[in-house]
C-alpha cells in the first residue's frame, strides 16, 4: 500500500498529489529535497526518512520530479514499474501544455490525473501478483542425466581418461623440450638412480651427458665466486661506515661542563633560544584570521608560460575532457551520449583520491541530472557534463549546516558557560597538533583556552600537550592580558577514565572563567569496540558543543570506512535516545597531497558535515578554512 504519490516541479510547485493515508507527505518530501536534490546526491533513486522509503524519478526536460512513498518494512516490487508508467503517461498526456505554456497552466485549467493514476496502480499491483513461481529444475533436464552409466564406472588399475591424457602430454613435452630447462629437469632422475631410457620418458646420449655435467660444474664454481664477491662487497661498506670513537678532551675525565651540549639556561628555560623558537613556531600568517585554502601548486606556475603550446602536450588523451568534440545541437541528452565522458570522469576522480564508491555515485547523480535535458545549439556533451559535475562538487562541499565557532563561543559567553570542543579520530592523524593550532587561533581572537588531556592511553600524549601549552603561553603571556592566564593544561596523568577527566575539566573551566575547553582524546581505529565505547561515553556524559573528526587528506577509500564506522559506533554505544554524532571535520596534512584533494569530497559526501579547518603545515599559523571553488578547480584539473 502506498502512503503517497506526488508530482511537483523543480521550482517547488506541487502539480498533483495522491494521499493513501491521512498523514501529510510534506515532511518526507521536504527532507528529500534538502538532503538529496539540493545536495546533489541523486546517484541512488531511493531515500529513507524515518519509517518511510521514498523513490523518485527526475524529468530534466520538463523540470519535474515524481516521488512515491511507502512504509520501509514493506517490500513492494511494483513501485519502480509504477513510477515509470506514471512518468510516461503524464509526459504524453500533458506534453503540449507544458511546452507551450508552463507547469502552472495545468493548475489553471481542468487538471484531473486521479483516475489515470488509480488505473496504473491497479495494473501494477495485478502484474506483481500474476508472476508465476519459479519451478525447480528436474533431474531429466540436468547434464548429469545425459551422461551414460558406463562413463561413470571406474575399475581398479585403470586410470581415468583425463589423467592418462595429461600424463601423455607431459611426456611429450619432456621429449620435445631442448635447452637448459630440459636438462635441469632430468637431473633428479639421475640422482635418484633411475636409468635414463625410453621407459622413463628421457633419452640422453653421451654428448648430452658430458654437456650437462660440464654445466653443473660451471654452475657450482660460478656460485662460489659470486658468493665470495658478494661477501667482499658487503664487508667493504662496513669498514667505511665505522663510527670513529669520541676523542675526550680531558683524557677520559667525565667533566659535566665538557659533556653538556645543551643551550645555556636561566631558571630552567633557555631564554636565548626561546625568542627564535617563538618566531619559528608562530609562522608568518595573519593573526586571528583564517585564510582561504589555496590549492594552486608549483606545477601550475611553471606551466603558465607554456600554455600557448598545443593541447597535445598535456597528455595522450589531451586532458580529462578532450573527447566528444561534436556539437549536439538542440536535442535532449541520452545516457548513451554521456557514458564515455562519465567513465573518464569516474576514473579521473578516483585518480584524484576520491573514494571509488563516491565517484560512481557522483557520476550517476550527474547522469540522472542531465538525462533528458535539452542542450543549446553550441553546447558539447563534454562541456555540459563538466559544468554539471563542477556544480555538484561545489554543492557537496557546502553542506546544510555551517559551523561558525567564534559566533558560538560568544553566544556561550553570554550564557556564562565554557564552549566545549571534542577532537576524535584514528591514530596518527594529527589531533594534538591541530588542537594546538586551533588554540593559537582562539588565543589570537582573544578567547582563553583550557586544554583537557584526555588521551590517557598513548605514551607522551600529556607531555606533548604540556609542550604546546608552554609555547602558547610564551606567545600569549599573562602580562599582555592584564594578568589573566590565557591558556592552561588540565591533566590527571595516564590510565584514568577519559570521560571523568573531561567532566572535571569542564567544571574547572566554569569556575575559573575559561571561554573554551578543547578536549583531546586518544586515537583509535574504527574497529576497536572498547575504545569506541569509551569515546561514545565521553561524548554522551559531557555533551560537547562541537564534535570534530580529525582525518588525513592522504586517505582514499579508507575515509569512507572511518567516518561511517565512527558515526555508527557513536550511535550504537550511546546511551541517549538521540545519539550525538560527528558535527564537523578537520582535514590535516593538506600540504602533502598537491592536487589530489579527493578526500575532502569523500568525507563531506559521507557525513553531510562541513570541513571546519584544514591543516597545511607545522607552525601554528598553518590553519586554513576550506575554499570549495579552489578545491573543485584542483580536482577537475587534468
Amino acid at each position: 500500500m502506498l502512503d503517497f504519490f506526488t508530482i511537483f516541479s523543480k521550482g517547488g510547485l506541487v502539480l498533483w498529489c495522491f494521499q493513501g493515508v491521512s498523514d501529510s507527505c510534506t515532511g518526507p518530501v521536504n527532507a528529500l529535497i534538502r538532503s538529496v536534490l539540493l545536495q546533489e546526491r541523486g546517484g541512488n533513486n531511493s531515500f529513507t526518512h524515518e519509517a518511510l522509503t521514498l523513490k523518485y524519478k527526475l524529468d530534466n526536460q520538463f523540470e519535474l520530479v515524481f516521488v512515491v512513498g511507502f512504509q520501509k518494512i514493506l517490500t513492494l516490487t511494483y513501485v519502480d514499474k509504477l513510477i515509470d508508467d506514471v512518468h510516461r503517461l503524464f509526459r504524453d498526456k500533458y506534453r503540449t501544455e507544458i511546452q507551450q505554456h508552463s507547469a502552472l497552466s495545468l493548475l489553471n485549467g481542468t487538471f484531473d490525473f486521479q483516475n489515470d493514476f488509480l488505473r496504473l496502480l491497479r495494473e501494477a499491483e495485478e502484474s506483481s501478483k500474476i508472476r508465476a513461481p519459479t519451478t525447480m529444475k528436474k533431474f531429466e533436464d540436468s547434464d548429469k542425466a545425459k551422461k551414460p552409466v558406463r562413463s561413470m564406472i571406474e575399475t581398479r588399475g585403470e586410470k581415468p581418461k583425463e589423467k592418462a591424457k595429461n600424463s601423455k602430454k607431459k611426456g611429450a613435452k619432456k621429449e620435445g623440450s631442448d635447452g637448459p630447462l630440459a636438462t635441469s629437469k632430468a637431473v633428479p632422475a639421475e640422482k635418484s638412480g633411475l636409468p635414463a631410457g625410453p621407459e622413463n620418458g628421457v633419452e640422453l646420449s653421451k654428448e648430452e651427458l658430458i654437456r650437462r655435467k660440464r654445466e653443473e660444474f660451471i654452475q657450482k664454481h660460478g656460485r662460489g665466486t659470486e658468493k665470495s664477491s658478494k661477501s667482499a662487497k658487503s664487508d667493504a661498506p662496513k669498514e667505511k661506515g665505522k663510527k670513529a670513537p669520541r676523542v675526550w678532551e680531558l683524557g677520559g675525565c667525565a667533566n659535566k661542563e665538557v659533556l653538556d651540549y645543551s643551550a645555556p639556561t636561566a631558571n630552567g628555560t633557555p631564554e636565548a633560544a626561546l625568542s627564535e623558537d617563538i618566531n619559528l613556531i608562530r609562522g608568518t600568517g595573519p593573526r586571528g584570521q583564517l585564510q582561504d585554502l589555496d590549492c594552486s601548486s608549483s606545477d601550475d606556475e611553471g606551466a603558465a608560460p607554456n600554455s600557448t603550446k598545443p593541447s597535445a602536450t598535456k597528455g595522450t588523451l589531451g586532458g580529462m575532457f578532450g573527447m566528444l568534440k561534436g556539437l549536439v545541437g538542440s536535442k535532449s541528452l541520452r545516457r548513451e551520449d554521456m557514458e564515455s565522458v562519465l567513465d573518464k570522469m569516474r576514473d579521473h576522480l578516483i585518480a584524484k583520491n576520491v573514494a571509488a564508491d563516491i565517484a560512481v555515485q557522483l557520476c550517476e547523480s550527474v547522469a540522472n541530472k542531465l538525462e533528458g535535458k535539452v542542450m543549446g545549439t553550441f553546447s558539447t556533451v563534454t562541456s555540459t557534463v563538466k559544468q554539471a559535475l563542477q556544480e555538484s562538487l561545489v554543492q557537496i562541499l557546502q553542506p546544510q549546516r555551517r559551523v561558525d565557532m567564534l559566533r558560538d563561543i560568544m553566544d556561550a559567553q553570554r550564557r556564562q558557560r565554557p564552549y566545549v570542543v571534542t577532537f576524535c579520530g584514528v591514530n596518527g592523524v594529527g589531533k594534538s597538533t591541530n588542537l594546538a593550532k586551533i588554540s593559537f587561533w582562539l588565543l589570537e581572537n582573544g578567547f582563553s583556552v583550557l586544554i583537557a588531556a584526555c588521551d590517557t592511553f598513548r605514551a607522551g600524549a600529556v607531555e606533548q600537550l604540556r609542550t604546546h601549552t608552554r609555547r602558547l603561553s610564551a606567545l600569549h603571556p599573562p602580562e599582555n592580558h592584564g594578568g589573566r592566564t590565557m591558556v592552561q593544561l588540565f591533566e590527571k596523568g595516564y590510565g584514568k577514565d577519559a570521560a571523568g577527566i573531561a567532566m572535571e575539566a569542564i567544571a574547572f573551566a566554569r569556575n575559573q572563567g575559561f571561554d573554551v575547553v578543547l578536549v583531546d582524546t586518544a586515537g583509535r581505529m574504527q574497529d576497536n569496540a572498547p575504545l569506541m565505547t569509551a569515546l561514545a561515553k565521553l561524548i554522551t556524559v559531557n555533551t560537547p558543543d562541537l564534535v570534530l573528526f580529525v582525518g588525513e587528506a592522504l586517505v582514499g577509500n579508507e575515509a569512507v570506512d572511518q567516518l561511517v564506522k565512527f558515526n555508527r559506533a557513536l550511535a550504537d554505544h550511546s546511551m541517549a535516545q538521540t545519539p550525538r554524532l560527528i558535527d564537523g571535520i578537520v582535514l590535516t596534512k593538506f600540504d602533502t597531497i598537491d592536487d589530489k584533494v579527493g578526500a575532502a569530497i569523500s568525507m563531506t559526501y559521507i557525513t553531510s558535515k562541513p570541513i571546519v579547518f584544514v591543516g597545511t603545515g607545522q607552525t601554528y599559523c598553518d590553519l586554513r578554512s576550506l575554499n570549495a571553488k579552489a578545491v573543485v578547480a584542483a580536482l577537475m584539473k587534468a
Side-chain angles (χ1 to χ4, degrees):
M1 181 181 177
L2 300 182
D3 282 28
F4 65 86
F5 195 112
T6 181
I7 305 171
F8 59 91
S9 66
K10 290 186 178 179
L13 182 65
V14 179
L15 302 180
W16 177 83
C17 182
F18 165 77
Q19 288 284 144
V21 294
S22 58
D23 295 338
S24 174
C25 64
T26 306
V29 173
N30 287 339
L32 173 71
I33 294 172
R34 284 194 304 268
S35 303
V36 178
L37 300 182
L38 293 181
Q39 292 296 318
E40 300 292 344
R41 301 171 190 271
N44 188 8
N45 66 340
S46 181
F47 172 71
T48 302
H49 176 71
E50 296 178 354
L52 291 178
T53 296
L54 278 68
K55 289 200 172 185
Y56 61 93
K57 186 177 180 65
L58 302 179
D59 188 332
N60 297 305
Q61 182 178 359
F62 296 133
E63 301 290 327
L64 300 177
V65 184
F66 298 78
V67 182
V68 58
F70 54 94
Q71 296 293 321
K72 65 180 179 182
I73 60 173
L74 301 177
T75 305
L76 302 181
T77 58
Y78 61 85
V79 171
D80 293 329
K81 180 180 182 303
L82 174 65
I83 199 168
D84 290 337
D85 293 343
V86 172
H87 172 233
R88 192 180 304 109
L89 179 63
F90 192 86
R91 279 174 54 97
D92 296 342
K93 189 172 182 179
Y94 301 104
R95 178 190 299 268
T96 55
E97 286 132 358
I98 297 176
Q99 284 179 343
Q100 292 177 0
H101 305 287
S102 64
L104 187 61
S105 63
L106 298 177
L107 299 178
N108 296 332
T110 58
F111 177 68
D112 185 16
F113 193 67
Q114 188 82 7
N115 296 330
D116 296 331
F117 173 76
L118 292 176
R119 177 176 57 81
L120 293 176
L121 177 61
R122 192 162 50 250
E123 291 175 358
E125 290 176 346
E126 290 174 356
S127 64
S128 64
K129 295 177 183 178
I130 291 172
R131 288 182 181 177
T134 56
T135 57
M136 293 182 65
K137 193 175 182 181
K138 296 181 181 180
F139 177 74
E140 289 79 7
D141 301 332
S142 63
D143 295 334
K144 192 173 182 181
K146 299 176 183 178
K147 289 184 179 180
V149 180
R150 185 177 297 176
S151 63
M152 298 185 227
I153 298 174
E154 292 184 7
T155 57
R156 289 185 179 181
E158 291 184 1
K159 292 183 179 180
K161 293 182 179 179
E162 294 181 358
K163 292 184 179 178
K165 288 180 181 178
N166 292 335
S167 62
K168 287 181 181 178
K169 288 181 181 178
K170 288 180 181 176
K173 285 182 181 177
K174 287 182 179 179
E175 290 174 3
S177 59
D178 294 329
L181 289 175
T183 57
S184 61
K185 288 181 181 177
V187 172
E190 284 186 344
K191 289 182 179 178
S192 60
L194 293 174
E199 62 274 3
N200 292 325
V202 179
E203 291 181 3
L204 297 174
S205 62
K206 290 182 180 180
E207 295 177 357
E208 290 176 348
L209 285 172
I210 294 171
R211 182 167 55 83
R212 183 188 303 167
K213 289 180 180 179
R214 186 180 298 164
E215 288 174 356
E216 290 176 5
F217 179 81
I218 292 172
Q219 287 177 359
K220 286 180 182 179
H221 286 271
R223 288 175 183 172
T225 55
E226 287 175 4
K227 287 181 181 178
S228 62
S229 63
K230 284 182 181 178
S231 62
K233 288 180 181 178
S234 60
D235 292 335
K238 289 182 180 177
E239 294 177 358
K240 291 181 181 178
K242 275 188 177 179
K243 186 177 180 180
R246 179 184 289 275
V247 178
W248 300 98
E249 295 180 0
L250 300 179
C253 178
N255 191 359
K256 183 179 179 182
E257 295 178 358
V258 177
L259 297 178
D260 188 9
Y261 288 91
S262 61
T265 61
N267 296 327
T269 57
E271 294 292 339
L274 187 61
S275 60
E276 298 177 2
D277 290 343
I278 286 176
N279 295 327
L280 182 64
I281 63 179
R282 176 188 285 139
T284 57
R287 295 186 174 186
Q289 184 179 359
L290 283 180
Q291 290 182 320
D292 286 339
L293 183 66
D294 184 15
C295 295
S296 60
S297 61
S298 58
D299 297 339
D300 299 339
E301 298 173 1
N306 300 327
S307 60
T308 57
K309 291 184 178 181
S311 59
T313 59
K314 293 182 180 179
T316 56
L317 298 176
M320 176 186 169
F321 300 101
M323 62 293 208
L324 293 178
K325 297 295 183 182
L327 297 179
V328 177
S330 299
K331 73 171 187 178
S332 59
L333 267 176
R334 297 177 302 167
R335 189 174 287 264
E336 293 80 12
D337 301 332
M338 300 181 286
E339 274 203 16
S340 57
V341 182
L342 291 173
D343 290 343
K344 273 293 191 186
M345 190 179 298
R346 183 186 63 251
D347 297 340
H348 179 81
L349 292 175
I350 293 174
K352 292 286 187 176
N353 227 7
V354 180
D357 295 341
I358 306 299
V360 171
Q361 294 179 26
L362 278 171
C363 294
E364 190 66 24
S365 175
V366 170
N368 292 338
K369 182 180 178 181
L370 294 179
E371 188 177 6
K373 185 176 181 181
V374 178
M375 297 178 56
T377 306
F378 296 101
S379 299
T380 63
V381 176
T382 303
S383 61
T384 304
V385 174
K386 182 179 179 181
Q387 183 179 0
L389 180 64
Q390 285 179 337
E391 293 173 357
S392 299
L393 293 174
V394 171
Q395 195 68 35
I396 287 169
L397 290 174
Q398 296 173 346
Q400 308 169 12
R401 179 176 177 263
R402 183 175 178 269
V403 176
D404 190 347
M405 277 187 64
L406 299 181
R407 182 194 61 192
D408 295 340
I409 292 170
M410 288 188 286
D411 185 52
Q413 278 182 333
R414 287 192 292 268
R415 300 181 184 179
Q416 297 182 351
R417 66 172 184 84
Y419 185 81
V420 183
V421 184
T422 299
F423 295 81
C424 63
V426 299
N427 308 76
V429 294
K431 290 184 295 298
S432 302
T433 303
N434 284 274
L435 181 145
K437 292 180 186 179
I438 295 172
S439 301
F440 176 74
W441 174 65
L442 293 172
L443 292 171
E444 292 289 330
N445 282 280
F447 298 110
S448 57
V449 178
L450 179 68
I451 301 175
C454 295
D455 185 355
T456 61
F457 185 77
R458 176 173 64 90
V462 178
E463 287 77 10
Q464 181 183 6
L465 291 178
R466 191 180 296 143
T467 302
H468 282 304
T469 305
R470 186 175 67 248
R471 290 184 170 184
L472 290 171
S473 298
L475 293 172
H476 287 273
E479 297 81 23
N480 297 346
H481 299 275
R484 181 188 178 190
T485 303
M486 294 300 293
V487 58
Q488 186 173 340
L489 178 66
F490 188 89
E491 56 170 304
K492 291 292 182 180
Y494 294 97
K496 306 293 178 61
D497 180 29
I501 296 176
M503 183 181 291
E504 293 180 18
I506 294 170
F508 180 82
R510 188 180 292 108
N511 295 331
Q512 298 297 322
F514 281 95
D515 300 323
V516 185
V517 179
L518 301 181
V519 181
D520 184 32
T521 62
R524 64 206 76 209
M525 295 306 294
Q526 60 269 24
D527 299 319
N528 194 327
L531 290 179
M532 293 305 299
T533 306
L535 178 63
K537 175 187 173 184
L538 185 148
I539 293 174
T540 304
V541 170
N542 296 288
T543 60
D545 298 282
L546 189 65
V547 179
L548 293 179
F549 177 84
V550 185
E552 287 180 328
L554 303 169
V555 295
N557 292 326
E558 185 68 12
V560 178
D561 188 58
Q562 288 176 5
L563 283 164
V564 168
K565 289 187 177 178
F566 256 83
N567 266 333
R568 187 186 303 158
L570 292 178
D572 293 344
H573 300 301
S574 177
M575 296 172 285
Q577 292 182 351
T578 55
R580 184 67 180 278
L581 304 179
I582 294 169
D583 299 319
I585 299 168
V586 179
L587 202 58
T588 65
K589 306 178 185 178
F590 211 83
D591 54 321
T592 62
I593 57 171
D594 195 25
D595 59 348
K596 295 187 177 181
V597 296
I601 298 292
S602 301
M603 292 183 177
T604 314
Y605 191 92
I606 286 296
T607 59
S608 300
K609 302 299 181 183
I611 296 176
V612 186
F613 300 105
V614 179
T616 58
Q618 296 296 320
T619 66
Y620 288 144
C621 285
D622 291 329
L623 197 68
R624 301 286 184 270
S625 62
L626 187 74
N627 184 357
K629 293 184 178 179
V631 172
V632 172
L635 191 66
M636 300 298 290
K637 186 175 67 174

